C-alpha cells in the first residue's frame, strides 16, 4: 500500500528505534485482524493511548489484510489515479467498476485498474488522504470484487 497517508510511529510515542522497527515488523507480518488487534493492544499497554498517525498505520495494516483477501497485492498512487493490481475482473465487474467510478481504466492484459483519485468534491475538491482514502479503497474492493450489492449501492464515487 503506497498511498498518501500520514502513518509513522512517532519517536515521542515509541522512543527506541529498535522498538519502532519491531512494531513495524509485527504489523507487516500481520495476516489477519486478530494479529493487528494484538499489536494495537500491546502498543496501548506499553505506550498509552494511540495517537492519530499510529491509528493511520493500524488502518493501513488492516486495509492491506482486507485487500489480500481479494488477491490485491498492490495499491499505489499513480499520477491522478489509484492503481489496484492484480485485479482479475469478470466482464460484469469491469462494468460495475466503470459505472461506480467514472473515468476508470481497466487493463485486463496486465490485471490492473486505474481509478481516478477521489476528491472532497467533483469540482474544485482536494484529493482525499489518510484513513478517508483507505475507507474509499476498501469500499471499492467490497463493491467490485466482493460483489456486494449493498456496498455497490453505497460506494463513494
Amino acid at each position: 500500500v503506497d498511498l498518501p497517508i500520514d502513518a509513522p510511529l512517532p519517536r515521542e510515542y515509541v522512543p527506541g528505534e529498535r522498538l519502532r522497527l519491531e512494531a513495524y515488523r509485527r504489523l507487516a507480518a500481520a495476516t489477519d485482524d486478530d494479529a493487528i488487534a494484538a499489536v494495537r493492544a500491546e502498543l496501548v499497554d506499553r505506550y498509552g493511548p494511540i495517537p492519530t498517525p499510529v491509528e493511520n498505520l493500524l488502518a493501513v495494516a488492516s486495509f492491506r489484510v482486507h485487500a489480500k483477501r481479494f488477491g490485491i497485492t498492490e495499491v499505489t498512487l499513480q499520477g491522478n489515479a489509484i492503481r489496484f493490481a492484480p485485479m482479475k475482473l469478470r466482464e460484469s465487474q469491469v462494468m460495475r467498476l466503470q459505472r461506480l467510478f467514472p473515468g476508470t481504466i481497466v487493463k485486463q492484459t496486465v490485471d490492473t485498474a486505474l481509478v481516478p483519485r477521489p476528491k472532497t468534491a467533483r469540482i474544485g475538491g482536494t484529493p482525499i488522504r489518510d484513513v478517508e482514502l483507505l475507507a474509499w479503497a476498501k469500499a471499492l474492493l467490497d463493491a467490485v470484487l466482493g460483489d456486494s450489492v449493498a456496498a455497490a449501492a453505497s460506494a463513494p464515487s
Side-chain angles (χ1 to χ4, degrees), residues 2-62:
D2 186 13
L3 297 172
I5 299 167
D6 182 28
L9 274 172
R11 281 180 164 54
E12 305 79 42
Y13 185 64
V14 180
E17 183 73 23
R18 184 183 60 77
L19 296 171
R20 274 195 310 284
L21 289 174
E22 180 59 30
Y24 282 125
R25 268 191 226 106
R26 287 195 55 213
L27 279 174
T31 57
D32 59 28
D33 293 328
D34 291 339
I36 295 167
V39 173
R40 173 188 293 278
E42 182 180 336
L43 289 172
V44 169
D45 185 50
R46 284 180 148 189
Y47 308 109
I50 296 178
T52 301
V54 180
E55 284 291 352
N56 292 351
L57 181 63
L58 293 166
V60 169
S62 181

Side-chain angles (χ1 to χ4, degrees), residues 82-93:
I82 306 294
R83 180 176 187 263
F84 293 86
M87 197 174 215
K88 295 180 185 286
L89 300 171
R90 298 184 311 269
E91 187 176 329
S92 62
Q93 290 172 317

Side-chain angles (χ1 to χ4, degrees), residues 1 3-5 56 59-60 62-64 66 75 84 101 118 128-143 151 154-157:
V1 177
L3 297 172
I5 299 167
N56 292 351
V60 169
S62 181
F63 173 74
R64 191 174 31 25
H66 189 74
V75 181
F84 293 86
F101 303 93
I128 65 171
R129 50 178 297 125
D130 297 326
V131 292
E132 188 179 10
L133 181 58
L134 290 174
W136 171 87
K138 182 181 184 297
L140 181 144
L141 294 177
D142 290 341
S154 64
S157 54

Side-chain angles (χ1 to χ4, degrees), residues 92-108:
S92 62
Q93 290 172 317
V94 170
M95 290 173 57
R96 182 180 309 131
L97 179 61
Q98 291 175 332
R99 179 178 48 82
L100 293 173
F101 303 93
T104 294
I105 298 168
V106 177
K107 298 180 178 183
Q108 289 187 302

